[in-house]
Structures are given as structure tokens and as C-alpha cells.
Amino acid sequence: MSCSNRLSVVALLFGTSLAQAATYDWPQWQGPRRDNSTAETGLLKSWSEGGPEGMWLFDDCGYGYAGFSIVDGKLFTMGGRAEKCQLIALDAESGEELWSVSLGPMLENDWGGGPRSTPTVENGFVYALGGKGALVCVRAQDGSEVWRAHLQDDLHGTEPTWGYSESVLVDGDLLLCTPGGAEGAIVALDKATGKVRWRTTELDDSAHYASIQRAEINGQPQYIQLFEKRVVGISPQDGKLLWEAEFPGRVAVIPTPIVRDNKIFVTAGYGSGCMLVEISAANEATQLYDEKASKRMKNHHGGVIRQGDYLYGHSDGVGWLCMAFDTGKQVWREREALGKGAIGYADGMFYCLGEDDGQVVLIEASPVGWEERGRFTLEPQTEIRSDRGKIWTHPVISNGKLYLRDQDLVYCYDVKAD
């Protein structure tokens, strides 16, 4: 009997299939492809009154807005506890704390203390960046440390006003991060040792808050990063600048760039707006949106998702917005159903989270309009949130579960269809 036939027999004996055994981990910031989405299916398409069933609540995550990575049954996040920035591992099924590792002093500022970035998990290792610049690699199994570096002390970076918020990118044998500064704004480290492989010496921009995106444009692999005043593409081989385009950012640029073929969409809040640039085979960047379209999407930090030919997300002063990717034309907007917040995607649905009141709304991912299919409000809500802080952690959907956070509270809900 062939190997494939033996596998088929085993699957039949256990009443399942190989496809049903698939797992849908969420290994880094914004999921497997850094696009705020998962390919997972078989999820609820509507919620009963009161929302999906709550599975567990963890109430000791500490200060901060760090997101979740979920791999091999473990959830990894960060929080400010006992005045330290801590990398925390939980059992994704039960919410039980498994281990924690200190990254040094906790970030403190006027928008609430604690870390902002999401750990990256790859091949049994966890890579995490604290708000004050500590960067660690630990073993996912037990948190034991492999190496440690510091974006200021070792790489002479410039800490942003509200702390380092980037979620590091692991690609091949490299780890990419953005310390900022005159010695080279972006650095590639050897992921196994933490040693510098190259720096983008042509870029001296200060670090902001966006995370690097990997892309292949016109057949050329590259890394894309958004700074305050420009978006750039750089070579994975040596960090050389391939192209750049001016961007009218101000105060803080945060959302991760979105790539489709040879076009890159970027956006930011504080009135900055958005931009779609097309990169030619000769690495020339051309702005495609007209002036009106470039002011349509002003996404602060709740994220924008591309599904097909459309972009979806919250725009400051506009509301929840659907706009055409290629032209920037408005398709629909919704101003009343939910306030400003974050968005995630799974199985044809958007999970929208209101930053002020903790309302969670399920809508169809459709250019037809805002079609609501259920809502609930996070309960309880944290007592440690700063008077000026919000519910800013993005929704994560992984292996039939919805994970949400309000500072020290981490919630897990069952969203798998029967």
C-alpha cells in the first residue's frame, strides 16, 4: 500500500480528514501575511444576542497594548507588570500562564504605559521588542533566553515619542527592525545570534511606529517601511534603497503598508491621509490617487484590510469606510453603528472593535455596505486603563477562537461554527 493510501485509511478510521486537521496559527503581527487576516474557515457567520461563548479570561497581563501571536497552542503577548516589560506566554486553550520573561524597565508615557508591539514566533523561537528598545529571542517552549540586544544601547537608535511599537519581521535567517537614527534607520540582524548583518546607511529617519512588510515587486524581493515623511523599498541582500516616495505624515505614522502586485498603499492619522504608489520595473514610484482620494482614508492605528479590490477600515472624521484600492473612490461609509476602532478578518467576515466602549461587531466583508451580523460588549473591562488610554489591541482570530485585550484583561471566545 502506498504512503498516500495508508494516510487516507488512517483518516477514515478516525472519522476525519487531513484538511480538517489543519491548524490556523497567527504567528506574528497582523497574522501569517501581515494583512490582518487568516485563511481559516468554518467560523460563525452570525452571533446570538450577547455574542459568542466566552471560553476564558486572563486578568494579569499588565499595562500595554501588545497584540497576540498564537502558535502550537501557546499565546504570546507582552505587558507591563511590577514596573517591568514582560514577555508572557499563555496556554491558548485555557488561558493559564506558562512563563514570563523580563525585557527591562516598563515604558511610561501620557497615553498609558507598557509595550505596544506583538511578538513574532518562528521555528520554536519568540522574538519580542519592548517599548524602551530591549529586543530578545527566547525559546517558545520555556522562555529560556537565546540572545538579547538593545535598539538604543547597541544599535544607537532614537526612541520614538511613545516608545518603540514596531513588531519585528523574521524573514529567512534575518530579523528586521527599525531603531532609527543616523547610523541607519533599518537594521537586519542574524536571527540566530542577534548580530548585525547590514544597516540601511542611506536612511537616517527617526523611528516611528509602523512595522516592516515583506513583498515581491516586479519580481524583486524587498522590504517596505513607512516613516513619517516617506515610504521606502529596500533590498534584502544589503539594505540598499531601491525606491522612495514622499508621504505627508505628521505626529505618528503607524499602520503597516499594504502591497498588491506592484502597488503599495499607506495611510496614517492626524490628517495625513493615504497614498497609493506604483513601482515600475525601473524602481520609479508614481502616486496614483488624486488629491481628494488621498484624504479619504486617515487610519490612525486600528488597521486597514484589503479584500479583493477594496480597502476597509476606520478613517478619522469619516467613520468606517470601504474604498476602491486602485482609485481611492469611496464605496460606502458607516458613521453611527460603531465608533473608532480596530479590524480583523476571517472567513468572509470582519471583526470590528470599538476603542472607547469595547463593543465588538461582526459584519460581512462586502462592498455592498455595513451588514451587521452580531455584537457584544467586553465584560468586565479593565480598572487600570489610563484616563487617556483606549482599547487598542487588534482582534486576533485563530483556530476557531477570537482573542481580544483590554490592558490587563485577555479574553477568549469560541467563534467556531458547529
Side-chain angles (χ1 to χ4, degrees):
M1 183 182 292
S2 71
C3 180
S4 61
N5 286 337
R6 287 196 299 271
L7 288 173
S8 298
V9 170
V10 171
L12 288 171
L13 287 173
F14 284 91
T16 184
S17 69
L18 298 179
Q20 287 176 314
T23 58
Y24 293 93
D25 286 343
W26 190 280
Q28 61 176 334
W29 163 244
Q30 294 195 157
R33 298 173 300 276
R34 292 202 162 200
D35 61 359
N36 260 328
S37 70
T38 171
E40 184 170 356
T41 58
L43 305 178
L44 292 171
K45 294 303 180 74
S46 64
W47 295 337
S48 58
E49 186 176 353
E53 178 185 358
M55 299 190 68
W56 53 259
L57 173 70
F58 178 72
D59 63 0
D60 189 28
C61 206
Y63 291 92
Y65 309 101
F68 311 124
S69 293
I70 300 166
V71 175
D72 294 337
K74 295 184 179 66
L75 179 152
F76 304 93
T77 189
M78 293 191 288
R81 304 191 301 191
E83 299 183 351
K84 298 291 185 181
C85 173
Q86 296 188 23
L87 170 61
I88 302 167
L90 306 180
D91 185 304
E93 294 292 327
S94 68
E96 176 189 1
E97 182 168 344
L98 302 175
W99 53 257
S100 65
V101 173
S102 174
L103 275 71
M106 183 180 80
L107 173 75
E108 295 188 27
N109 61 50
D110 60 352
W111 277 101
R116 279 96 162 98
S117 65
T118 298
T120 300
V121 186
E122 195 258 357
N123 198 29
F125 297 94
V126 185
Y127 305 86
L129 174 63
K132 298 295 292 181
L135 174 62
V136 300
C137 169
V138 304
R139 292 177 178 85
Q141 181 62 32
D142 56 10
S144 57
E145 186 171 311
V146 178
W147 57 260
R148 179 179 293 247
H150 200 283
L151 269 60
Q152 291 176 283
D153 297 345
D154 300 322
L155 301 176
H156 309 120
T158 55
E159 181 185 320
T161 302
W162 291 287
Y164 285 106
S165 303
E166 174 185 29
S167 301
V168 299
L169 173 69
V170 174
D171 182 44
D173 59 355
L174 299 179
L175 179 147
L176 282 295
C177 60
T178 311
E183 294 185 21
I186 297 173
V187 176
L189 304 178
D190 185 310
K191 74 176 184 183
T193 65
K195 303 300 183 183
V196 175
R197 295 277 288 270
W198 51 253
R199 292 192 77 144
T200 55
T201 54
E202 297 167 273
L203 303 176
D204 60 359
D205 307 64
S206 297
H208 263 247
Y209 310 92
S211 296
I212 296 171
Q213 183 68 282
R214 190 192 189 283
E216 185 170 307
I217 298 176
N218 299 312
Q220 183 173 38
Q222 53 194 272
Y223 301 126
I224 298 168
Q225 178 62 302
L226 176 63
F227 294 101
E228 184 181 19
K229 297 299 182 183
R230 57 178 167 174
V231 58
V232 301
I234 61 173
S235 168
Q237 282 73 41
D238 52 16
K240 295 296 185 183
L241 182 66
L242 299 175
W243 57 266
E244 63 178 309
E246 293 183 2
F247 181 72
R250 63 193 73 170
V251 185
V253 297
I254 304 171
T256 303
I258 294 173
V259 182
R260 184 188 193 188
D261 300 325
N262 66 331
K263 297 175 182 176
I264 298 99
F265 173 87
V266 291
T267 181
Y270 302 97
S272 301
C274 61
M275 181 171 72
L276 184 69
V277 294
E278 184 174 41
I279 309 302
S280 72
N283 283 324
E284 297 171 334
T286 303
Q287 160 73 290
L288 298 182
Y289 288 168
D290 61 26
E291 184 176 357
K292 185 176 182 179
S294 68
K295 292 298 182 182
R296 190 155 280 135
M297 180 65 80
K298 301 179 288 292
N299 186 262
H300 189 192
H301 49 57
V304 175
I305 296 177
R306 182 187 69 81
Q307 279 294 307
D309 296 328
Y310 303 97
L311 296 162
Y312 302 83
H314 187 276
S315 177
D316 290 345
V318 176
W320 292 89
L321 177 67
C322 171
M323 60 184 277
F325 179 86
D326 285 329
T327 65
K329 180 181 178 180
Q330 178 177 305
V331 179
W332 60 256
R333 71 171 180 171
E334 173 55 55
R335 296 173 61 91
E336 306 299 329
L338 183 68
K340 179 178 177 178
I343 187 171
Y345 171 88
D347 197 13
M349 310 298 287
F350 288 130
Y351 297 71
C352 304
L353 172 63
E355 66 172 31
D356 289 311
D357 54 15
Q359 289 194 61
V360 188
V361 181
L362 184 71
I363 69 169
E364 292 187 20
S366 169
V368 174
W370 177 281
E371 298 290 340
E372 188 169 323
R373 294 292 178 258
R375 75 165 59 208
F376 68 98
T377 301
L378 291 177
E379 292 291 345
Q381 294 188 22
T382 188
E383 297 180 0
I384 69 168
R385 192 188 314 147
S386 163
D387 290 341
R388 300 183 67 189
K390 306 285 185 179
I391 301 174
W392 282 335
T393 304
H394 289 203
V396 166
I397 307 97
S398 177
N399 296 312
K401 300 176 185 65
L402 168 64
Y403 298 91
L404 302 169
R405 179 179 183 178
D406 177 11
Q407 294 277 351
D408 57 341
L409 301 177
V410 178
Y411 315 77
C412 176
Y413 298 90
D414 184 2
V415 293
K416 191 170 183 60
D418 294 332

